[in-house]
Amino acid sequence: MDKLEAMRVYRHVVETQSFARAAELLGLPRSTVSRMIKDLENYLAVQLLQRTTRKLSVTTDGQNYYAECKKILGDIAALESSFPGKTGQPRGRFKIGMPQSLARHCILPEIQSFMARYPELELVLCSSDRVTDLVQEGFDCVIRAGAVEDSTTLVARQIARFRWSVLASGQYISQFGTPKTLEDLQHHHAVGYLSHATGKTSEWHFDRQGRDVSVRMKETLVVDDTDAYIQAGLQGMGLIRVASYLVSDYLSSGVLISCLEEYAVDMPLFLVYPQSRHVSPAVRAFYDWSKATLTRHYAQ
C-alpha cells in the first residue's frame, strides 16, 4: 500500500463526504477509492469512517488521522514548492473561513481577482460568525478579528486594522442630537444586535485613555443580521456601532455620520492557520492578496 497516496485519497473522501465525489476529483474508479480506504483502516487497525446507505461520517479516530494527514500532505506540498525547479503555484482544494459580514462586503466583491491569479485552486469559502476548529473542520486558514488565544498550534498574522465606530444618520441627529461624550449616551437609544452565541445583545466597548469602558445602551429595536442592523441605522432608528469596513461608502458619502471618534476601539484582523514547518503556497498567496485588498479598500 502506498501510504502517501492512501492519505491523499482519505483526505479527499473526508473533505467531500463522498466516495463517489472523491473518486471523480482524483480520476479513480469508485471501487479503487473504497478499497484503498478499507486497506488503510485494516493497516491502522481502526475505523476511520462510519458508512450508511445515506450518510458518511468521520469517527473520532478518523478526525485525528485526517488532521495529521492534512498537515503531512501540506508540509510535503510546501516543501516541494520551495525548490527552485518548482513554480510554487498554489493548486488543489483550499478551504477558508471568515465572518459573514466580511465575506459579503469585502472579500466576495474582490475574490474573482484571486481566483483568476490562481486558477489551479479549488476554492471553498465558508462564511460564518461562529468560532471554528481549524484542524477538526479541515480549514486551511480563517480570518478572525481580535486576539487569537491558541498560539501553540495556530499562527496568526495581521492583515489589516479596522475601527469600531458609533454612527448615526442625519435624521437621527436632527431629532436627538450628536453624542459628544460617553456620558451623553444615556440620553440616546440604539439599535441592538443579537448575538446567537450568547442569546443577548452586545454591549458597546470604548477606549477611554487606554482603559476599556463598556456601555449598555437603551435599545428600541433588536436585529440579528448585519445588513438589517446597518439599514436600521440608515433609517434613523437609533445609533449603531459597526466595523468601519462595512460602512466605508456610507461614511464617505455622508449618509452616516461618525460620533465619539476619540473613544473608538481599533481592532486587528488576522489570518490564522495551523502551525507547520512549511506554510503552504495557497496560504501564502491568500495572505498577500487579502492583506493588499483589505488595506487598499476597507481597513483603517
Side-chain angles (χ1 to χ4, degrees):
M1 179 181 64
D2 185 328
K3 295 178 187 176
L4 282 177
E5 182 63 14
M7 290 168 68
R8 188 168 73 96
V9 169
Y10 177 66
R11 175 182 173 178
H12 274 76
V13 171
V14 171
E15 292 178 346
T16 60
Q17 294 288 293
S18 166
F19 282 93
R21 178 60 177 153
E24 180 183 344
L25 290 173
L26 292 165
L28 296 172
R30 187 186 184 284
S31 58
T32 300
V33 170
S34 181
R35 176 180 53 77
M36 290 181 73
I37 299 302
K38 185 175 181 58
D39 289 346
L40 184 60
E41 289 179 318
N42 290 337
Y43 175 77
L44 296 171
V46 296
Q47 185 174 6
L48 300 173
L49 302 170
Q50 295 274 9
R51 307 160 178 83
T52 68
T53 54
R54 293 186 176 184
K55 186 179 179 182
L56 182 69
S57 59
V58 187
T59 65
T60 300
D61 286 330
Q63 285 284 8
N64 294 333
Y65 187 69
Y66 166 76
E68 292 303 316
C69 283
K70 184 169 182 177
K71 182 176 181 296
I72 291 168
L73 292 170
D75 282 347
I76 291 172
L79 178 62
E80 289 177 344
S81 70
S82 67
F83 287 100
K86 290 284 187 177
T87 64
Q89 181 76 355
R91 56 174 55 84
R93 192 173 187 270
F94 182 53
K95 185 177 181 181
I96 56 178
M98 64 194 66
Q100 289 181 345
S101 58
L102 184 72
R104 186 182 306 156
H105 290 269
C106 303
I107 298 298
L108 286 174
E110 304 278 348
I111 197 65
Q112 188 173 5
S113 66
F114 179 77
M115 297 174 68
R117 191 180 305 173
Y118 304 107
E120 295 185 64
L121 277 179
E122 181 188 340
L123 186 63
V124 179
L125 194 157
C126 300
S127 58
S128 171
D129 291 326
R130 69 185 180 86
V131 176
T132 57
D133 184 316
L134 271 71
V135 175
Q136 291 297 324
E137 299 189 35
F139 282 92
D140 292 285
C141 60
V142 299
I143 296 177
R144 287 183 179 168
V148 178
E149 295 179 1
D150 186 3
S151 59
T152 58
T153 60
L154 301 175
V155 175
R157 297 182 65 189
Q158 185 172 318
I159 53 177
R161 294 189 70 85
F162 65 92
R163 173 166 288 194
W164 283 104
S165 298
V166 174
L167 307 173
S169 68
Q171 176 185 342
Y172 179 91
I173 289 175
S174 296
Q175 189 171 358
F176 300 101
T178 304
K180 301 292 180 59
T181 68
L182 297 187
E183 287 71 26
D184 287 347
L185 290 175
Q186 65 183 307
H187 306 297
H188 289 264
H189 61 274
V191 181
Y193 187 86
L194 182 67
S195 167
H196 290 290
T198 64
K200 302 176 182 178
T201 55
S202 304
E203 287 187 331
W204 288 7
H205 288 265
F206 298 94
D207 183 347
R208 175 182 268 165
Q209 298 179 339
R211 184 169 61 92
D212 179 73
V213 177
S214 61
V215 175
R216 171 62 67 181
M217 293 293 297
K218 180 174 66 176
E219 297 160 346
T220 54
L221 171 69
V222 174
V223 299
D224 65 352
D225 174 79
T226 302
D227 286 344
Y229 186 67
I230 294 172
Q231 283 301 315
L234 289 168
Q235 297 301 317
M237 296 180 185
L239 298 172
I240 59 174
R241 179 176 177 269
V242 295
S244 55
Y245 61 75
L246 297 177
V247 290
S248 56
D249 289 343
Y250 295 126
L251 285 170
S252 60
S253 66
V255 175
L256 286 176
I257 300 162
S258 182
C259 311
L260 303 170
E261 274 299 300
E262 63 181 291
Y263 303 105
V265 175
D266 286 337
M267 185 75 70
L269 276 176
F270 291 100
L271 186 71
V272 184
Y273 51 89
Q275 202 168 69
S276 173
R277 288 173 296 171
H278 304 285
V279 181
S280 76
V283 169
R284 284 201 302 267
F286 188 72
Y287 169 80
D288 291 339
W289 177 85
S290 60
K291 182 175 183 178
T293 299
L294 292 172
T295 301
R296 184 172 66 250
H297 291 296
Y298 304 104
Q300 300 297 307

